[in-house]
Amino acid sequence: MSSIFSLTMLAESIRIAVPYTCAAIGGVWAERAGVIQIGLEGILLTGAFTAVAVTHATNSPTLGLVAAIAAGVALSLGHGQLTERARVHAVISGIALNLFALAATRMGLRALYDSASNSPGIEAYRFGPTGATGGAMLLRVLADPVFFLALAAVAATPFLLQRTRFGLRVRAAGENPVAAASVGIAVTRVRLTALAVSGAICALGGAHLAYDQQRFESGMSAGRGFIALAAVVVSGWRAGRAALACLAFGTLEALQIVLQDEVRKTAIGDLIQTLPYVATLLVLALAPRRAGAPEGLGKHAAD
């Protein structure tokens, strides 16, 4: 029990929650603009691969991070072009984005590293004290530059969406695109800009995931994008609530790791691994009674 209420547990919860949070905040930007974005999984995966590939080639995690953000923006804008200009249904486009990311990263592993499973190890950001104590782990997590960027995205998103002219246009494009267009707002341009922001923030999560493991593994996003989408839904498309939901998911995953270590030799060890996913299903089951979509989102999806 002492291991559950410890600095190690806190550090693990925050560390695990960062990729979820970045994907969820990216999802908030897309959904607020009226574009369904189920391609968060693919952007996470592409961001992770790009960060590792560029870092391995340049020995610079900063360049890898910038490249990951650029890749996330490019993928998200591709999704926007398909949905806004080619009029492809957003769900179909999102599925295609996820499949493309999975295939492209595996091809990249083959082409660059002659491996179908993982890349060579890289030197990522490592700030803070060394050691395996809970305090040292927590300081390393809090000193991570990607953590600071994720925290900034969480803090800035509500302000930008609620108190800036651009945020007002994003929300207008999502809630009532016809009315927004009637007063001169370029809805497609606003949505594409919001999607660019969405892709950049989501790709941060992919880079954090890869830097945390210090390499890329095929399919390493492992459903995090979909869990982040669940957090967006249950939060009612609000960044702060989405971040708290992701922290809860991260805590459950960290709890699963701690409990699995303690009950490894018991019959319930396999059941413990399902904790985060069971919680996700329960949250989604309760979501219709707790949160609603922006008014224009369903209308846009049906266009």
Side-chain angles (χ1 to χ4, degrees):
M1 184 65 69
S2 61
S3 60
I4 297 177
F5 300 100
S6 64
L7 290 178
T8 299
M9 178 70 180
L10 178 60
E12 287 291 288
S13 299
I14 296 173
R15 176 185 66 82
I16 292 170
V18 171
Y20 291 114
T21 302
C22 289
I25 298 304
V28 167
W29 275 96
E31 303 281 354
R32 279 294 186 180
V35 181
I36 299 172
Q37 176 56 298
I38 66 169
L40 299 173
E41 181 82 1
I43 297 175
L44 277 176
L45 197 59
T46 303
F49 177 80
T50 306
V52 169
V54 174
T55 301
H56 184 265
T58 64
N59 292 318
S60 171
T62 300
L63 288 179
L65 184 60
V66 171
I69 292 172
V73 170
L75 269 187
S76 196
L77 286 177
H79 175 63
Q81 291 290 338
L82 288 174
T83 57
E84 292 301 311
R85 300 197 187 279
R87 308 307 295 172
V88 175
H89 195 287
V91 173
I92 296 174
S93 176
I95 293 172
L97 190 156
N98 289 334
L99 293 175
F100 170 79
L102 181 62
T105 52
R106 286 184 176 175
M107 289 179 61
L109 282 174
R110 281 286 190 187
L112 295 177
Y113 311 118
D114 195 26
S115 171
S117 57
N118 58 266
S119 71
I122 59 169
E123 287 294 329
Y125 295 117
R126 281 296 180 268
F127 297 105
T130 59
T133 64
M137 291 177 62
L138 182 59
L139 288 175
R140 285 198 299 271
V141 169
L142 298 180
D144 188 340
V146 185
F147 167 76
F148 278 111
L149 291 174
L151 195 61
V154 172
T157 293
F159 175 80
L160 292 174
L161 286 175
Q162 299 293 332
R163 300 186 179 278
T164 67
R165 178 177 297 179
F166 173 65
L168 176 61
R169 293 185 175 189
V170 169
R171 290 187 290 116
E175 293 172 7
N176 197 327
V178 175
S182 70
V183 296
I185 295 175
V187 173
T188 296
R189 184 187 306 168
V190 169
R191 284 176 168 169
L192 289 176
T193 304
L195 282 172
V197 176
S198 169
I201 298 173
C202 185
L204 279 177
H208 183 277
L209 188 63
Y211 286 170
D212 182 56
Q213 301 294 325
Q214 294 191 302
R215 65 177 183 175
F216 177 82
E217 298 176 359
S218 181
M220 71 186 304
S221 52
R224 288 174 173 84
F226 297 111
I227 293 179
L229 186 59
V232 174
V233 172
V234 76
S235 70
W237 286 260
R238 292 175 174 83
R241 294 182 184 179
L244 289 175
C246 289
L247 182 58
F249 289 138
T251 301
L252 283 173
E253 191 170 330
L255 180 63
Q256 168 243 312
I257 295 171
V258 171
L259 292 180
Q260 190 177 357
D261 288 340
E262 295 186 356
V263 299
R264 188 179 298 276
K265 297 182 180 180
T266 70
I268 64 170
D270 291 336
L271 293 177
I272 293 297
Q273 298 181 35
T274 67
L275 272 177
Y277 308 104
V278 171
T280 303
L281 292 174
L282 290 175
V283 163
L284 284 176
L286 296 174
R289 286 178 286 178
R290 298 179 61 183
E295 293 179 5
L297 192 56
K299 185 182 293 186
H300 170 68
D303 287 346

